[in-house]
Amino acid sequence: MSRQELPIVPDAPACCAPLVDEALTDGEATGLARGFKALGDPVRLRLLSLIASRAGGEVCVCELTDAFTLTGPTISHHLRVLREAGLIDCQRRGTWVYYWIIPARLAALSQLLDVSTATVAPGTTR
Amino acid sequence: MSRQELPIVPDAPACCAPLVDEALTDGEATGLARGFKALGDPVRLRLLSLIASRAGGEVCVCELTDAFTLTGPTISHHLRVLREAGLIDCQRRGTWVYYWIIPARLAALSQLLDVSTATVAPGTTR
């Protein structure tokens, strides 16, 4: 990743009640789908889990690169997708960039899929 | 959708602890990413919310088609992607197919993104 100014993370939509409570509007679905699309890749999901599970809350990009057999530019691309979807943020300190998750955005996606109050269709099981 | 036998929903992975608890393995990430990828489209997310929010737990495909300006085959395609990702299931009764969510699969994805125990990076806020 270059030393140039990093792009600003888009505002996460102020969203939403669980899917089981009410249907989404077009606008809500568009913002939320962007987050899920970013999560829809195994490498990005592993990167996010490596960042999210780190004690202390942040990870140097140098450690993330070491965890994969992929090239640095490929890792940087996937980190950029996660960042542009508002799931992570980062800060450069000296040589390295440090990443952390944005809990509010992940919580919004988690709450949307919360089915604890779901009605179960007749003849099916949870 | 034709009257032929519908494909079997793949087994949802028996997964996972929240991302903030431990990093995902390759195999876990692949199965989970498939679910998120299916959610990464506004039309599919709206379809899922229409099914999930229905009192009684299931929806006739005829009502789903009426809620969009898209063609029937396009709606059927998106429903098939959701079904192949293990997020919904369906049953034909007479002329129509009825859809319902698979709560266990949605709960697994929701739990993965649960950040209620996350460590917050220094200098950031939730």
Side-chain angles (χ1 to χ4, degrees), chain A residues 19 24 26 46 49 110 126, chain B residues 19 24 26 46 49 104 110:
Chain A
L19 287 173
L24 293 170
D26 264 344
R46 282 192 64 212
S49 79
S110 174
R126 286 172 183 265
Chain B
L19 286 174
L24 293 169
D26 264 345
R46 282 191 64 212
S49 79
S110 175

Side-chain angles (χ1 to χ4, degrees), chain B residues 2-83:
Chain B
S2 74
R3 285 174 183 272
Q4 70 193 24
E5 192 71 15
L6 292 163
I8 294 170
V9 175
D11 287 339
C15 213
C16 291
L19 286 174
V20 296
D21 286 358
E22 57 184 359
L24 293 169
T25 66
D26 264 345
E28 289 169 344
T30 300
L32 292 159
R34 190 176 178 199
F36 288 123
K37 189 172 182 181
L39 296 172
D41 177 278
V43 171
R44 287 199 289 274
L45 210 45
R46 282 191 64 212
L47 279 168
L48 187 70
S49 79
L50 285 165
I51 298 168
S53 63
R54 175 57 57 95
E58 62 175 32
V59 185
C60 173
V61 68
C62 53
E63 294 177 74
L64 295 172
T65 308
D66 287 348
F68 294 84
T69 55
L70 302 168
T71 65
T74 300
I75 298 289
S76 288
H77 161 74
H78 286 302
L79 288 168
R80 191 179 315 117
V81 173
L82 289 171
R83 188 161 184 266

Side-chain angles (χ1 to χ4, degrees), chain A residues 19-26 29-30 32-33 36-37 39-42 45-46 48-50 52-54 56-58 100-101 103-104 106-107 109-110 112-115 118-122 124-126, chain B residues 19-26 29-30 32-33 36-37 39-42 45-46 48-50 52-54 56-58 100-101 103-104 106-107 109-110 112-115 118-122 124-126:
Chain A
L19 287 173
V20 296
D21 287 356
E22 57 185 359
L24 293 170
T25 65
D26 264 344
T30 299
L32 292 159
F36 288 123
K37 189 172 182 181
L39 296 171
D41 177 278
L45 210 45
R46 282 192 64 212
L48 187 70
S49 79
L50 284 166
S53 64
R54 175 56 58 94
E58 62 175 33
W100 58 87
I101 60 167
L106 289 167
L109 299 181
S110 174
L112 187 79
L113 303 181
D114 177 8
V115 290
T119 305
V120 178
T124 66
T125 59
R126 286 172 183 265
Chain B
L19 286 174
V20 296
D21 286 358
E22 57 184 359
L24 293 169
T25 66
D26 264 345
T30 300
L32 292 159
F36 288 123
K37 189 172 182 181
L39 296 172
D41 177 278
L45 210 45
R46 282 191 64 212
L48 187 70
S49 79
L50 285 165
S53 63
R54 175 57 57 95
E58 62 175 32
W100 58 86
I101 61 167
L106 288 167
L109 299 181
S110 175
L112 187 79
L113 303 180
D114 177 9
V115 290
T119 305
V120 178
T124 66
T125 60
R126 284 174 183 263

